[in-house]
Amino acid sequence: MTVESFWSTPKKDYQVSFQVTEGPKEPIVDFPLVLEAQKEHTKEELINELAKLAAHPNDKGGQSPLRRLLDSNGGAIHMKGLSGLKTADDFSDILDGLAGQGKHAWVPHEHIGMEVLRRPQARNVLTTNEGPPSHFIGWHNEYAVSPAHPTYLILFCQTPPGSGGETSVVNTLALYDRLKKEVPEFIEGCGTKGLVYQIPHNLNQVAGIVGGNGLFKESAFGPKNGAKLPETEEGKQKFVEARIIELAKRGGWHEGIDKTDESLPVWQRRGFSWTWQENGDLEVIHRVAGVREHPTLKKGSIFNAMSTRYTNAVVHNTFAPPHTFKNEDGSEGIAVPPHFAGLEKDEVIPREWLEKMDKWQHTLESSIKWDQGDLLIIDNYAAQHARWAWEGDRKIQASFWDQPGMAAEPIMG
C-alpha cells in the first residue's frame, strides 16, 4: 500500500530482504519498513500525520493503514526525520495520535508481574531496560515470559549512542517458518510442552541491573490503584501469591485443571510455581506457550524470550545441572538454559535445537541505527527485538500498548 505524501520510503543499509514464508510465489519484504518525513514539521503536524495512519472507526475491514503496513512489511516500522519529536513529553503527546480512535484504537498496556525496572518519564512513557551498556540483551518478544504481554511496543530515541547500541529486530513468522522446516521437534515442543522461565523478583527496587523492579510495585505483584498492602509479612506473601495465581489464570491454568488431560499442553496443566527467599526476594516459575498464531496474518509465530538465556548458558557452559559456574572472584553464579515444561519436572531443551534458533535469529536480524527523534514501532506478535552493547550516552524510551480484540492465541502443537 502507499503512504501519504508526508513520508518517503528510502532504502537503508541496515534493512534485510527475505520472504516471510519461503516459496516461489511469496513476496520479498525489506525489513524493517523505513518511513522518513520529507520536510520539516511541527509536533502538531506530526501528530496529524500519524493520526492518518492510526485506527479510525471507518477503517476497511477494521484494520488501520498502520496495521496493514505492519502486516505487509514484517512487523516493524522505523520512522525517521521527525523534527517535531525531541523530549519524553513530545513522545507522550504523539502517542495520542498514533493510538487512533474507535473500537480498534490502542489502549495503554497494563503491566503485571514485571521484574524489569522501568522508570516513568511522561504519560505512557517508560525507560527501557537499565541493564549495563556492556550487556547484550538477546532477542525476545516483549514480555513473552508472561500471559500479560503488550500488542505493540514503540521505542523513541532521545539521545543516540556514541557507538554501538543498535536495536536489532527479527521477524518471528519467518523464524517460525525456518525452524519448522529444520527442527520441527523444537516447534512441536514449544506448542505441546511450552517454555519455562525463572523470574527473580527483588524485594526492593535495584537500579542498574537487567531486572530490578520492586516486588510490591503495582507493575509487579503489588496492589493496584493506590491500595495498601496487608500489614503482616504473611499477609503480604498471600497477597502476592494471589496475584501470581491471577496471572497464571490469564494463561489458561485453573485450580481444578485435569493434569492427565493430554489434549491440553503441558504448560497449561502445570501452571506457575514460586519460591520465597529468606531475604524476602521471590522467584516465580512461569510456564507459557512458545508459539502463537498471528492474529491478522493467521500464521505461526515464535513467541519467546530465550536468546539471552541461551547465550548465557553457552558462555558459562551450564547446559547440565545444576547450571552453576564460578565467577572470577570465586563466587558461584547460575545460568539456567532454556527449558520445556514438564508435568513433574521441566526439561532442558536440546542445545542443537537452540543453536538453530540462534543461527536464524542472526541470519534474519536487522540492526537499526538510531538518530535523535527516531521512532520504532513493533508488532510484538510479529517481531522480536534485542539490544547490542554500546559506548557513550544512549537514551531510548518505550511505550507499550494493546489493541482490543487483537491477541495471538497459543498454538498447542
Side-chain angles (χ1 to χ4, degrees):
M1 65 173 291
T2 60
V3 296
E4 301 291 334
S5 59
F6 182 83
W7 306 99
S8 64
T9 54
K11 302 298 182 187
K12 299 292 183 179
D13 60 3
Y14 54 80
Q15 289 177 289
V16 293
S17 299
F18 57 82
Q19 293 177 311
V20 172
T21 303
E22 290 182 316
K25 297 183 179 180
E26 293 292 330
I28 294 174
V29 300
D30 294 321
F31 178 78
L33 173 66
V34 178
L35 296 181
E36 189 162 9
Q38 299 188 71
K39 58 185 178 181
E40 292 288 318
H41 52 272
T42 65
K43 181 172 68 176
E44 289 69 27
E45 289 171 330
L46 177 59
I47 291 172
N48 289 336
E49 293 298 332
L50 291 174
K52 293 177 184 178
L53 298 176
H56 291 86
N58 59 350
D59 281 334
K60 182 179 180 181
Q63 293 190 18
S64 68
L66 181 60
R67 178 67 262 167
R68 297 197 297 275
L69 282 171
L70 286 166
D71 281 352
S72 58
N73 292 278
I77 300 174
H78 188 196
M79 292 183 166
K80 300 184 66 63
L82 308 182
S83 54
L85 185 54
K86 300 185 183 300
T87 68
D89 287 324
D90 291 336
F91 182 33
S92 177
D93 290 341
I94 66 100
L95 289 167
D96 291 332
L98 199 58
Q101 301 176 355
K103 66 179 182 179
H104 299 294
W106 299 357
V107 295
H109 176 70
E110 179 182 332
H111 295 280
I112 175 174
M114 186 172 68
E115 87 280 11
V116 174
L117 173 59
R118 298 191 186 278
R119 303 175 192 269
Q121 302 296 292
R123 182 172 51 90
N124 298 322
V125 177
L126 301 170
T127 53
T128 51
N129 195 301
E130 292 190 1
S134 60
H135 190 96
F136 166 66
I137 296 178
W139 292 283
H140 60 285
N141 304 85
E142 186 62 34
Y143 224 56
V145 302
S146 170
H149 42 257
T151 309
Y152 301 103
L153 165 66
I154 303 92
L155 300 178
F156 159 58
C157 179
Q158 184 173 4
T159 305
S163 62
E166 299 91 348
T167 292
S168 173
V169 286
V170 170
N171 179 271
T172 48
L173 288 85
L175 188 59
Y176 178 97
D177 177 70
R178 303 330 186 248
L179 292 175
K180 190 171 178 63
K181 294 171 183 172
E182 289 198 6
V183 274
E185 304 92 342
F186 173 70
I187 297 297
E188 178 75 11
C190 288
T192 60
K193 297 178 181 179
L195 305 177
V196 181
Y197 300 99
Q198 298 80 15
I199 308 297
H201 289 271
N202 300 94
L203 174 62
N204 300 308
Q205 179 175 302
V206 179
I209 64 174
V210 174
N213 202 20
L215 174 61
F216 297 126
K217 293 173 70 173
E218 182 175 347
S219 59
F221 291 118
K224 299 179 181 179
N225 304 318
K228 294 186 179 298
L229 274 169
E231 293 184 1
T232 67
E233 290 305 310
E234 181 182 6
K236 290 176 182 177
Q237 288 194 357
K238 286 184 176 179
F239 181 90
V240 167
E241 290 169 0
R243 291 212 73 193
I244 296 171
I245 291 172
E246 172 193 344
L247 186 60
K249 286 180 176 179
R250 289 178 66 168
W253 174 89
H254 57 86
E255 288 93 339
I257 199 163
D258 183 359
K259 277 194 169 185
T260 67
D261 184 355
E262 296 186 358
S263 69
L264 299 176
V266 174
W267 60 265
Q268 186 176 355
R269 287 183 274 165
R270 182 82 182 276
F272 287 22
S273 54
W274 57 87
T275 304
W276 290 95
Q277 310 298 326
E278 290 185 2
N279 64 355
D281 290 352
L282 174 69
E283 182 181 74
V284 182
I285 307 298
H286 294 207
R287 296 178 181 88
V288 294
V291 285
R292 293 178 178 270
E293 182 181 75
H294 191 274
T296 55
L297 296 172
K298 304 302 181 185
K299 294 181 178 182
S301 184
I302 294 292
F303 197 78
N304 69 36
M306 294 196 292
S307 174
T308 297
R309 291 164 173 82
Y310 163 74
T311 300
N312 289 340
V314 169
V315 169
H316 298 294
N317 193 26
T318 56
F319 279 86
H323 313 304
T324 56
F325 63 92
K326 289 291 184 182
N327 290 304
E328 290 183 0
D329 63 3
S331 62
E332 187 174 81
I334 186 167
V336 179
H339 280 60
F340 284 141
L343 280 177
E344 301 298 331
K345 184 179 180 181
D346 301 321
E347 58 189 74
V348 176
I349 299 173
R351 180 170 180 168
E352 58 269 25
W353 296 0
L354 297 169
E355 287 173 348
K356 289 287 187 180
M357 182 183 73
D358 183 69
K359 180 198 79 170
W360 279 110
Q361 285 169 322
H362 280 86
T363 300
L364 295 167
E365 72 91 20
S366 167
S367 290
I368 293 168
K369 300 172 183 176
W370 288 108
D371 290 316
Q372 194 281 323
D374 285 2
L375 289 181
L376 178 61
I377 302 172
I378 298 174
D379 171 0
N380 196 36
Y381 297 133
Q384 294 182 332
H385 60 286
R387 186 200 76 183
W388 297 112
W390 83 89
E391 295 181 353
D393 200 4
R394 181 186 190 267
K395 291 183 180 177
I396 308 295
Q397 294 164 357
S399 191
F400 307 90
W401 296 78
D402 293 328
Q403 182 176 329
M406 183 75 69
E409 297 298 328
I411 296 174
M412 304 298 193

